[in-house]
Amino acid sequence: MREFFARRVAVLLAASAWLLVMGPAAVFAQSPRGAAAAAAYSGDFSDLADSDVTTLPDVTVRDSRTALDEAAAALAGGQVARGARMGLLGTTDVMDTPFSVTSYTDEAIRNMQAQSMADLLAADPAVRSTTGRGHLSETIRIRGFTVGASDYAFNGMFGVAPSGRVFLEAVERSEVIKGPSAALFGMSPGGSVGGVVNLVPKRAHNEPITRLNIGLRQDSVLSTHADIGRRFGQGGMFGVRVNTLYLDGDTAVNDQSIRRRVGSLGTDFRGEKLSVSLDLLWTHEDVNNATRPFSVAPGLTGVPPAPNGKNAYPGSGEFETENTTALLKVEYEINPALNVYAGYGEHVYKVDGALIYPTMQNVAGDYTWIYRQWKQQNDRDSLEAGLRGTFEHPGIKHRYGFSASRLQNDQGTFVPNRGSGSSNIWNPVPPPKLDRLPDPIRPGSELELTSFALADTMELWEGRSLLTLGVRRQEVDSLSLTSTNPLTRHYNKKATSPVAGLVYKPANWVSLYASYVEGLSTGGSAPNDPVYVNANEQLAPYVSEQYEVGAKFSFGDWIATVAAYELSRPTAGAIFLPGPVPPGEPDRVYGIYGEQRARGAELSVAGQVTESLRLLGGLTLIDAKIQKSATPAVLGNRLAGASRFQGNLGAEWDTPFVPGLSLSARFIYTGSAYADEANRLLIPSWDRIDIGARYTFEDARGTRYTLRLNVDNLTDKQYWTNSYTLSLGQPRTWSLSLEMSL
């Protein structure tokens, strides 16, 4: 498989090299405007005095909403961006979108010293991580619903983002679009409906970038990170951005060590009409004494107090993961009003580890565990092609997009149980360590997602109103396989997902909006059990719905958003047939009889409110319930893991008494939640304080230095994160780094 993937990467490299070298060379050689365009990109117009080019702005100026491969510009203060990528509509200004959107910048990532998405999104009041550091996979919860890392998008495409834990060294923007967005983005591999997280890869800027970072984290984790970007050729038409990271040492968790390696290459070509980009990304992580969340036993009557987060419960586990991604994207401007584009990417995710799966048995903290080897490989390829354009007729401007996409995901696993035992959180006895078995990975499943989508945004009344209408036709084809690879279950269903949104701007600084959008999840099949009258029947994809209204306010250098929403998601279950059933006959039917519904209100603030003060935070109120269920006893209960209230308040202050010194603080509060649908196991509320300091200065040669110190969970609070499992929050952790910008 490694050789197979390597050959495909080689083909991508060769194709992109030809496009980057031969294609642009031919275009520029044949174009009388080639030299003029190159000069325009560089900002040097001195050689155009005698040029016959009189329409230079039409050649070089692009509408940022149709730029396929560029990150949106940052607000003053640098923490968040002004826009985000809205699926097939491209990058759109936040004030023009009928959804709640936050786009975090690379500067915010560096200043927080965030190691992964879970660290970064701790700043978002509508998002909570459901797993702590040192876990195999990080998951987050948006608006009461879980979103896994495998459902993130990379450069606007599903299926090619790193899985498990997403590291941020190669990321320019982390865009969070809250709520389902199947019509604009398509169905994610896992069918998450809480929101869409899109990772925008780094690109070379017009100015050279050379950043070297040396870091030390508690207890003894040393890291080195290099970030280098250059543009070459006439007017900087070629760009190269390289990021490398090496991190190794003992973490703040007792007896836990980590080694991480990251490498990325982002290349791009900016031509007069042709744009090409190629991203290569590789990550490898080894964790010893890995932590795992506790499942809850059926007889558990209460949640024990959270023990010290520095203990590596349940102990002895270890794993290594590897992500390899290649993504090639091409865009061509047929004319100023029409662009066509295509993208093809591949991603391989590998896991090999010996993990301990604990189950909490009682309030005294006794738990049982199963020792299970976990080997998994996901092979994905993703293809998308489409067009975006503009046209107008009297009084109405149209910005439309059409796309066709295909995502293939093949997954294989090898998960044997290798022992069991018991322990206690207050007197833990680590399980024995076992060597990994060399057995091969067994075929598991194949998933193919194919879709066609069309959307149009209409600007009315001189841009004061924007009406967006769209629809996506999605086909879901799934196979479940066994180790001998015969077909054991085949699933094929189709669904249509619409989107509608309206933005009204009564003034330049305010946008009022309303939207309706749907999400899709694989419906699956009824269990293969003779007690069901419809055993093995294929269910239609789950169609989730979200209604949202809100207002956005842009006060110069900062933006505030107020939103209210209702998000509902169907669930499957079984109901018994009415009346007497003859002995030996099926007595129940499996179907979509349940529904989970979350209603909420959100307030978020981001940006520079004064010359020296920046804010990032907000409040979230959620009423997440089981609206319908095949189990009457749980009707009206709160969703597992969903708290009623979440709040964040983060501030950065540039001190007047020491030039170059900035101080930061963040308060995080999360209300109580239940760990089970029966609402018997209450996870207490928790709060946390994070602080930081940053000092920037330059030497006589003009080299810029930034010294950063961050302390997360300053008071070393002990808490369970809000989830349907019991996962310990991170202990007090400090990070120190020195960054040099040459």
Side-chain angles (χ1 to χ4, degrees), residues 705-742:
Y705 297 87
T706 303
L707 182 65
R708 297 182 176 94
L709 173 64
N710 294 83
V711 181
D712 293 341
N713 194 3
L714 177 66
T715 60
D716 203 19
K717 283 288 186 72
Q718 298 176 191
Y719 62 93
W720 300 109
T721 63
N722 293 38
S723 181
Y724 53 89
T725 58
L726 301 178
S727 182
L728 276 177
Q730 71 178 62
R732 178 170 52 227
T733 307
W734 55 262
S735 304
L736 178 67
S737 68
L738 176 64
E739 180 182 277
M740 295 165 282
S741 297
L742 307 179

Side-chain angles (χ1 to χ4, degrees), residues 414-430:
F414 172 61
V415 192
N417 291 339
R418 302 187 58 195
S420 61
S422 62
S423 186
N424 182 277
I425 59 174
W426 308 112
N427 299 289
V429 178

Side-chain angles (χ1 to χ4, degrees), residues 102 352 367 428 432:
T102 307
D352 190 1
Y367 64 90

Side-chain angles (χ1 to χ4, degrees), residues 231-401:
R231 303 211 68 85
F232 306 95
Q234 278 190 308
M237 68 179 71
F238 299 100
V240 177
R241 188 80 175 264
V242 177
N243 276 264
T244 62
L245 170 80
Y246 184 82
L247 179 150
D248 193 4
D250 296 329
T251 74
V253 176
N254 295 335
D255 301 320
Q256 184 182 86
S257 64
I258 187 171
R259 185 169 66 130
R260 183 181 305 154
R261 290 160 287 172
V262 177
S264 72
L265 172 66
T267 64
D268 70 286
F269 167 78
R270 304 174 181 173
E272 180 182 358
K273 292 183 174 293
L274 179 69
S275 298
V276 184
S277 69
L278 173 67
D279 288 285
L280 301 177
L281 176 62
W282 176 81
T283 70
H284 191 105
E285 182 180 45
D286 298 89
V287 176
N288 290 312
N289 216 23
T291 57
R292 290 284 304 167
F294 292 87
S295 299
V296 295
L300 185 63
T301 59
V303 176
N308 194 325
K310 293 184 178 180
N311 290 331
Y313 298 105
S316 300
E318 51 89 19
F319 65 83
E320 61 176 314
T321 62
E322 183 177 82
N323 284 279
T324 309
T325 291
L327 177 60
L328 174 67
K329 302 192 80 171
V330 181
E331 180 183 25
Y332 185 76
E333 182 184 283
I334 296 177
N335 58 54
L338 180 62
N339 288 14
V340 294
Y341 64 90
Y344 177 75
E346 294 197 357
H347 173 243
V348 175
Y349 173 57
K350 296 181 180 180
V351 177
D352 190 1
L355 300 174
I356 316 299
Y357 291 75
T359 300
M360 191 69 69
Q361 297 293 332
N362 54 46
V363 180
D366 294 322
Y367 64 90
T368 56
W369 52 262
I370 296 175
Y371 207 132
R372 181 176 295 163
Q373 182 161 345
W374 186 277
K375 295 183 72 173
Q376 177 182 331
Q377 178 165 324
N378 283 39
D379 296 285
R380 296 176 176 172
D381 62 81
S382 184
L383 175 66
E384 182 180 22
L387 56 87
R388 285 200 296 268
T390 60
F391 69 92
E392 60 181 285
H393 53 272
I396 303 177
K397 296 181 180 179
H398 294 263
R399 178 165 58 90
Y400 65 91

Side-chain angles (χ1 to χ4, degrees), residues 322-535:
E322 183 177 82
N323 284 279
T324 309
T325 291
L327 177 60
L328 174 67
K329 302 192 80 171
V330 181
E331 180 183 25
Y332 185 76
E333 182 184 283
I334 296 177
N335 58 54
L338 180 62
N339 288 14
V340 294
Y341 64 90
Y344 177 75
E346 294 197 357
H347 173 243
V348 175
Y349 173 57
K350 296 181 180 180
V351 177
D352 190 1
L355 300 174
I356 316 299
Y357 291 75
T359 300
M360 191 69 69
Q361 297 293 332
N362 54 46
V363 180
D366 294 322
Y367 64 90
T368 56
W369 52 262
I370 296 175
Y371 207 132
R372 181 176 295 163
Q373 182 161 345
W374 186 277
K375 295 183 72 173
Q376 177 182 331
Q377 178 165 324
N378 283 39
D379 296 285
R380 296 176 176 172
D381 62 81
S382 184
L383 175 66
E384 182 180 22
L387 56 87
R388 285 200 296 268
T390 60
F391 69 92
E392 60 181 285
H393 53 272
I396 303 177
K397 296 181 180 179
H398 294 263
R399 178 165 58 90
Y400 65 91
F402 170 81
S403 77
S405 65
R406 174 189 173 276
L407 190 156
Q408 178 78 31
N409 180 33
D410 298 336
Q411 177 176 304
T413 57
F414 172 61
V415 192
N417 291 339
R418 302 187 58 195
S420 61
S422 62
S423 186
N424 182 277
I425 59 174
W426 308 112
N427 299 289
V429 178
K433 286 185 176 292
L434 299 178
D435 294 331
R436 301 181 198 171
L437 297 175
D439 293 52
I441 291 174
R442 273 62 164 171
S445 63
E446 297 178 2
L447 175 67
E448 182 176 301
L449 304 175
T450 306
S451 70
F452 299 89
L454 176 66
D456 181 24
T457 296
M458 293 163 275
E459 295 186 11
L460 312 170
W461 303 334
E462 298 181 346
R464 288 198 174 274
S465 290
L466 297 95
L467 175 64
T468 297
L469 300 174
V471 65
R472 183 179 295 269
R473 181 63 172 173
Q474 183 84 56
E475 179 178 359
V476 184
D477 195 291
S478 176
L479 303 179
S480 298
L481 307 171
T482 67
S483 58
T484 55
N485 210 35
L487 171 66
T488 59
R489 182 173 295 171
H490 180 211
Y491 171 98
N492 183 279
K493 290 290 184 178
K494 298 179 177 66
T496 301
S497 300
V499 60
L502 177 65
V503 176
Y504 173 62
K505 300 179 179 180
N508 292 334
W509 53 272
V510 61
S511 293
L512 309 177
Y513 72 89
S515 62
Y516 171 81
V517 67
E518 292 185 357
L520 288 175
S521 304
T522 302
S525 303
N528 183 19
D529 192 319
V531 301
Y532 297 100
V533 297
N534 62 334

Side-chain angles (χ1 to χ4, degrees), residues 75-244:
L75 280 173
Q79 293 179 311
V80 298
R82 175 80 190 195
R85 202 157 304 183
M86 300 304 299
L88 74 157
L89 290 177
T91 302
T92 307
D93 191 290
V94 168
M95 299 295 288
D96 292 345
T97 62
F99 307 101
S100 180
V101 180
T102 307
S103 179
Y104 297 94
T105 66
D106 170 52
E107 184 175 346
I109 294 170
R110 291 185 287 118
N111 288 340
M112 292 181 196
Q113 300 195 69
Q115 297 186 54
S116 65
M117 284 298 296
D119 291 341
L120 174 64
L121 296 183
D124 198 309
V127 181
R128 286 294 181 264
S129 171
T130 61
T131 53
R133 284 180 176 170
H135 285 239
L136 172 65
S137 299
E138 287 185 339
T139 58
I140 59 175
R141 187 180 295 276
I142 305 177
R143 291 186 169 177
F145 294 91
T146 300
V147 178
S150 60
D151 279 355
Y152 292 175
F154 183 73
N155 207 4
M157 292 177 61
F158 284 128
V160 289
S163 294
R165 280 150 47 91
V166 177
F167 310 123
L168 302 172
E169 285 74 23
V171 176
E172 188 78 35
R173 297 282 186 273
S174 299
E175 302 170 341
V176 182
I177 299 95
K178 300 175 178 70
S181 298
L184 296 178
F185 286 87
M187 178 177 166
S188 61
S192 299
V193 300
V196 176
V197 176
N198 180 51
L199 309 173
V200 181
K202 288 181 177 178
R203 291 284 177 263
H205 298 173
N206 291 332
E207 297 297 324
I209 296 174
T210 303
R211 295 194 189 110
L212 303 177
N213 186 294
I214 301 173
L216 174 63
R217 293 179 171 88
Q218 187 180 357
D219 279 342
S220 61
V221 178
L222 290 170
S223 65
T224 58
H225 175 208
D227 181 3
I228 301 172
R230 295 289 188 276
R231 303 211 68 85
F232 306 95
Q234 278 190 308
M237 68 179 71
F238 299 100
V240 177
R241 188 80 175 264
V242 177
N243 276 264
T244 62

